[in-house]
Each structure stands twice: as C-alpha cells, then as structure tokens.
C-alpha cells in the first residue's frame, strides 16, 4: 500500500465472521453462493491508480469489468499448482492490501474475476475470504436462435451474462424447421433460402394465426468464430446443435432432394410445432449432414456436438419404399427404427473426427451412441431412466428447466408456450449427483426479441446457476434474499429481467 496522497487502496477493518451456508446476514449477495465465504466489516476502495496483475487475457477482463487502468497495487490473480481447487475452483482474499486470487487453471481465475465483478460496488470491494469450486462440471444455458434470429451483439451479451453466474456452456440451437442459421460454404442455399421465412405465428400457435412479415438471418462462420473466442475468454464453451433427421424443413426447403418427396418444394416452416417432413434415408443425404458437420467442427472446437434426434415423426419413412428398403438392408425392425440408424451414422462420423455427440432423450429407446451425452428433457422419469442406464446425463426436464415457460398463468404475463414454472420451482430442482450437470432451456417461438429472452431467462437462470455450482442445501428464502441484494447489478447492466414482484 502506498501511504501518500496517491494512495490507491483503503479499507477499514473489524472482526471476522463466516458464512458457509444458511442465512447470509451481512454477507455480500453472491450468486451462486460460494462454498466458503468469510467477511469482515470494512471496504477496500480502489482509486484511479489501481492496477491489475494477472495473465494478459484475465487482466483484460478485470480492467473491463472494474475499470482499473492504473499500475499501482489493486488486484492480483495468479495460477498455482493446487489440485484441491480442481479445474474450476479458486481462492480470493480482499483485505487492506488489495484483492488477491489464485486458481489452478485459467478457468478458475475467470470465475474469481466474476466474483469480483459481483462484489464490485461504487469503486470498492467488501473485505472477504472465499474458497469456491463447483458441484457439477456442466452448467449451461440453451438458446434457440432458429425460431427467431438474434443479432450477434446479443449473443455476445448473453455469453457475458452467463459468465456472471459461472455458467460454462452455451448450447446454441442453430437449425430447425423455421430457420437455418449456420453458414455452410458447400451448401449456400441453406442460408440463401433456409434462413428466411415469409411470416411468423401471431398469438399462441393453437390459435392458427400468422402474419406475412418476413423473418430471417444467419451467422457467418467468421462471426461464430468471433463468438467462440469471446466466450472462451470468459470461461464459456459453445456446443452447437444441428438437429437431425427431424426439425429439418428449412434445409429441405433449400434442397428438396433431402426430403422423402424430392419433387415437392416445401417452404421454410412458418408454424411452430413439429413438422412431419424429415430427412430421407439416402446415403447422399447422410453425406449432406456430415458435410455440414465438418464445416461446423472447423468453427466450434468444443468436444461435444449436439445432433438432436428429438421429435422425429416416422410417417414419411413408413410410406416410403426407399426408406423401407434402407431399414431392411440395415437389419432394422422397420422404417420406424431409422432414427437410431441416423444418429449412429452421425455419431460414427463425429467420433472419427475426435468429437463426442450429445442427443435428446428420445434416443434412449433407439440406442444412444457410445460415449454420447443424453439431454433428458421430457420429464423427471426420463432423467431417472438415463441415470439407471448409466448414461452420461445432463438433466434438463422441462417441468423445471424450460425457462421459456411463463412463471405464472396471470394474464399480465407475456405470451409463452406454457405456464407454471416459478422461480422457486426452478431453484428447488436437484439433478442426480451422478449427472454431468444441468442447464436452462430457452426455446424462442415466443421470444422474438433479445428483451423477451432476458425477461424469461432472468432471474431464473441465476437459480439454474445456483443448482449447478453450489453444494449447499436449497433454501429458497435465503436465495431470494440474496437475489434481492443482487438485482441492482442487473439494473446497472440494463438487463430486462422479470421483477420479483411481477404477478
């Protein structure tokens, strides 16, 4: 510490108290709750001369979040060989001399930065000692950019908000019946045609109304590489999803030979719900998808690639002599079993490229590819089924984690696909201890704007983060009190969250 007029750090001291769970008392409102948090009365104030000592990319984050541009004492973050912290744990001390953090990995340091980001108020930090590590390795958020396209600037902002809560995986749903958002150099019509539809549903899908306002957009591979880099700098990896062989009407509209009736020109689907039009079972169609995946792998380095496999109607396969012949040739009981064949072919291709696949839970009956992660979404029974089968599991049951559902059925709530998922229910969900982890889903049929996404995501995504990170017993009253103290930060970040007082 400097002791002249240019002094950059000051603090007052007092007795130490400890908070390892239960009531937060005077503890700072951190989300997710740290494993161990000790506080003392007083505050460390960092003036304009305060600096940052840390690995370059980590230092840049601190400067960006805290606005520290000087070269004097302030924040010091270091890598240490400490196996007890694991891949994502960290220690952080804020005292009269400054803020000092340590971790065994750069990811751990990044989470220490996010804790500093939450602690930072009016140019200062409370005096704390924290030791922290996550409960689950997979803590994610799914975002559907196929039903509604969102600007790349919002995706960067969303990643930054995920990182605030130490969520480490963005599941990016890039393709569906209503839009194809990933640029594929080998198949340009996917974005020239498949990325645009002539209208969208008006009101709830069950009302059967639509407008004639064109909607479209896609991301270039260069843009997505930039997003991957932006996310990696904040400790977030991105898992892309190309959903196959169902949810493919946008692709079939671009290349009709992919469908089971190649002479028919389908539009990019306007209606929500499930299209009955699926990929055919020709070898050339399998090659099409593997070609797409090859370009995808060059953009997204994360080991997992999600290949969908959900909600695949079999009507067209049953009616197709070609599909029936393929099923017979593959020794399948009938064309209804082609879903498992499709997923196996794509998984084999990705395995040869050194990647692992993720699938939705429909594949449990069809045959989960070896080494795949299963996203059990339909209900808690599907979670238990995947667990009993010994599968790598990410628990995402819609009754607890589908954040596009409204919190209540009050008429004042914005339109949603369903209702009845209040904050307390999200917070109360506990995945199996053996699961890889948990993530919150945001399907975008009823989320046409970034503001709509934020309203549904926050603050319930904070509850998902709490479940994924904290090993403490769930106490909703304590969490809500902490969340109340945390919301001014979301106000400062101009997040369009749903107020706790909303109906």
């Amino acid at each position: 510490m400097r002791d002249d007029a240019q002094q950059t750090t000051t603090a007052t001291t007092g007795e130490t108290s400890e908070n390892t769970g239960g009531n937060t008392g005077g503890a700072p409102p951190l989300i997710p709750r740290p494993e161990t948090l000790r506080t003392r009365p007083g505050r460390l104030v960092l003036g304009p001369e305060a600096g940052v000592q840390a690995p370059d990319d980590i230092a840049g984050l601190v400067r960006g979040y805290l606005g520290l541009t000087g070269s004097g004492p302030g924040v010091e973050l270091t890598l240490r060989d400490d196996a007890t912290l694991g891949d994502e744990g960290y220690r952080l001390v804020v005292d009269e001399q400054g803020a000092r953090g340590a971790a065994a990995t750069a990811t751990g340091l990044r989470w220490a930065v996010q804790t500093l980001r939450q602690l930072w108020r009016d140019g200062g930090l409370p005096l704390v000692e924290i030791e922290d590590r996550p409960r689950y390795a997979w803590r994610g958020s799914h975002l559907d950019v196929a039903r509604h396209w969102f600007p790349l600037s919002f995706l960067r902002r969303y990643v930054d908000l995920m990182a605030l809560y130490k969520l480490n995986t963005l599941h990016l749903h890039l393709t569906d019946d209503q839009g194809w958002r990933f640029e594929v150099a080998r198949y340009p019509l996917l974005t020239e045609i498949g990325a645009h539809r002539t209208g969208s549903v008006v009101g709830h899908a069950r009302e059967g109304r639509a407008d004639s306002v064109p909607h479209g957009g896609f991301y270039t591979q260069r843009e997505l590489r930039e997003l991957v880099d932006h996310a990696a700098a904040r400790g977030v990896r991105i898992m892309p999803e190309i959903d196959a062989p169902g949810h493919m009407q946008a692709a079939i509209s671009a290349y009709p030979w992919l469908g089971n009736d190649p002479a028919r020109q389908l539009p990019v689907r306007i209606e929500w719900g499930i299209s009955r039009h699926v990929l055919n079972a020709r070898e050339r169609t399998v090659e099409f998808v593997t070609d797409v995946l090859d370009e995808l792998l060059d953009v997204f380095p994360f080991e997992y690639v999600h290949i969908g496999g959900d909600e695949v109607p079999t009507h067209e396969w049953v009616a197709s002599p070609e599909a029936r012949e393929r099923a017979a040739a593959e020794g399948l009981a009938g064309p209804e079993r082609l879903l498992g064949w499709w997923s196996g072919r794509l998984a084999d291709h990705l395995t040869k490229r050194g990647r692992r696949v993720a699938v939705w839970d429909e594949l449990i009956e069809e045959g989960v590819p070896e080494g795949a992660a299963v996203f059990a979404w339909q209900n808690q029974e599907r979670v238990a089924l995947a667990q009993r089968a010994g599968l790598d599991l990410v628990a995402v049951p819609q009754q607890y984690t589908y954040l596009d559902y409204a919190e209540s059925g009050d008429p004042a709530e914005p339109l949603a696909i369903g209702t009845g998922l209040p904050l307390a229910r999200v917070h109360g969900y506990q995945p199996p201890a053996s699961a890889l982890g948990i993530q919150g889903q945001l399907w975008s049929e009823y989320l046409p704007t970034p503001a709509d996404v934020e309203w549904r995501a926050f603050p319930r995504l904070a509850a998902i983060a709490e479940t994924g990170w904290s090993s403490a017993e769930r106490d909703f009253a304590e969490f809500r009190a902490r969340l109340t103290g945390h919301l001014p930060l979301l106000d400062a970040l101009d997040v369009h969250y749903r107020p706790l007082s909303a109906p």
Side-chain angles (χ1 to χ4, degrees):
M1 257 182 92
R2 298 174 63 183
D3 59 2
D4 57 20
Q6 300 298 314
Q7 180 171 303
T8 61
T9 59
T10 61
T12 59
T13 61
E15 296 301 315
T16 299
S17 63
E18 181 172 351
N19 174 37
T20 57
N23 196 299
T24 59
L30 293 172
I31 297 175
R33 182 166 57 185
E35 184 176 279
T36 301
L37 167 64
R38 297 179 177 86
T39 65
R40 287 189 293 146
R43 194 163 177 267
L44 170 73
V45 178
L46 298 177
E49 296 299 316
V52 181
Q53 296 180 17
D56 289 345
D57 55 342
I58 308 296
L61 285 179
V62 179
R63 294 188 186 104
Y65 291 139
L66 275 57
L68 303 180
T69 58
S71 58
V75 176
E76 180 181 358
L77 301 173
T78 58
L79 290 169
R80 292 182 182 172
D81 186 11
D82 187 345
T84 66
L85 292 174
D87 291 337
E88 298 186 84
Y90 65 93
R91 294 189 181 91
L92 181 66
V93 175
V94 181
D95 60 18
E96 298 82 357
Q97 282 69 48
R100 300 178 303 282
T105 68
T107 298
L109 287 186
R110 291 186 178 98
W111 299 144
V113 171
Q114 297 301 332
T115 297
L116 288 171
R117 184 183 176 192
Q118 290 197 29
L119 291 170
W120 184 255
R121 291 288 192 279
D122 300 322
L125 300 162
L127 306 187
V128 297
E129 294 182 18
I130 294 173
E131 183 167 324
D132 205 8
R133 55 185 63 79
R135 180 180 185 184
Y136 293 101
W138 191 293
R139 307 176 307 281
S141 177
H142 161 284
L143 182 60
D144 169 16
V145 297
R147 273 54 175 265
H148 281 102
W149 176 88
F150 304 113
L152 192 71
S153 59
F154 175 66
L155 299 189
R156 289 194 294 266
R157 170 178 167 83
Y158 193 76
V159 163
D160 209 52
L161 291 172
M162 286 178 57
L164 177 67
Y165 297 111
K166 302 180 178 70
L167 293 165
N168 65 1
T169 309
L170 173 61
H171 176 174
L172 201 58
H173 185 80
L174 287 163
T175 66
D176 217 295
D177 299 314
Q178 297 82 8
W180 185 284
R181 310 299 177 204
F182 175 66
E183 176 192 41
V184 181
R186 188 164 181 175
Y187 301 104
L189 296 184
L190 287 172
T191 47
E192 291 178 21
I193 295 175
H196 306 275
R197 62 176 183 264
T198 59
S200 300
V201 171
V202 174
H204 200 284
R206 60 175 170 261
E207 299 171 17
R209 297 185 293 126
D211 62 28
S212 57
V213 179
H215 179 82
F218 67 93
Y219 309 105
T220 68
Q221 293 188 17
R222 177 186 59 80
E223 288 173 330
L224 290 171
R225 287 190 180 95
E226 291 173 356
L227 180 64
V228 166
D229 291 343
H230 176 88
R234 288 152 181 78
V236 178
R237 63 264 178 110
I238 301 180
M239 177 179 68
E241 179 179 358
I242 301 294
D243 204 345
H247 290 282
M248 271 280 175
Q249 185 167 324
I252 297 170
S253 73
Y255 294 99
W257 54 267
L258 297 171
N260 288 277
D261 184 1
R264 181 178 182 182
Q265 178 63 60
L266 293 170
V268 177
R269 185 176 170 91
I270 292 176
E271 302 82 9
W272 308 143
I274 304 169
S275 171
R276 65 184 291 129
H277 302 296
V278 301
L279 296 178
N280 62 48
R282 296 174 187 158
E283 195 64 26
R284 179 67 187 93
T285 303
V286 176
E287 291 174 4
F288 163 84
V289 181
T290 57
D291 288 343
V292 169
L293 291 174
D294 284 343
E295 294 197 28
L296 193 80
L297 299 186
D298 290 339
V299 174
F300 296 95
F302 185 42
E303 65 174 317
Y304 281 97
V305 174
H306 206 297
I307 58 173
D310 61 314
E311 299 175 329
V312 181
T314 60
H315 311 81
E316 291 187 333
W317 290 340
V318 171
S320 166
E322 195 172 49
R324 294 198 297 269
E325 290 175 8
R326 168 64 78 177
E330 298 294 333
L332 304 176
E336 299 90 343
R337 316 315 299 181
L338 283 169
L339 171 57
W341 172 80
W342 254 108
S343 299
R345 290 294 303 275
L346 300 183
D348 288 346
H349 181 80
L350 288 167
T351 299
K352 291 175 183 176
R353 292 290 306 271
R355 301 298 182 92
R356 300 179 65 182
V357 300
V359 297
W360 297 108
D361 67 37
E362 283 87 341
L363 268 296
I364 294 177
E365 285 82 9
E366 299 292 333
V368 174
E370 184 176 356
V374 175
F375 284 65
W377 71 273
Q378 296 186 63
N379 49 49
Q380 187 62 14
E381 288 70 30
R382 304 294 288 180
V383 173
L385 180 61
Q387 182 186 18
R388 289 195 299 271
L391 299 169
D392 288 340
L393 164 69
V394 180
V396 296
Q398 60 183 325
Q399 298 85 359
Y400 297 95
T401 71
Y402 271 44
L403 305 184
D404 47 295
Y405 279 39
E407 293 207 30
S408 77
D410 191 282
E413 283 275 8
L415 185 66
I417 191 171
T419 62
L421 188 53
L423 176 65
R425 184 171 176 82
V426 177
H427 182 265
Y429 178 60
Q430 282 291 347
S434 60
L436 298 177
I438 184 175
Q439 70 178 25
Q441 277 56 245
L442 288 157
W443 299 100
S444 69
E445 291 96 331
Y446 298 94
L447 304 175
T449 71
D452 294 319
V453 173
E454 291 185 1
W455 177 273
R456 289 292 181 224
F458 301 103
R460 289 182 295 180
L461 195 60
I464 295 285
E466 180 96 351
T467 297
W469 183 278
S470 177
S471 59
E473 291 294 324
R474 299 277 83 83
D475 181 340
F476 181 67
E478 183 275 334
F479 171 75
R480 185 183 170 100
R482 194 160 18 100
L483 179 61
T484 300
H486 167 80
L487 290 180
L489 176 56
L490 293 189
D491 291 329
L493 294 171
D494 197 27
V495 176
H496 187 65
Y497 64 88
R498 184 184 188 277
L500 295 181
S501 59

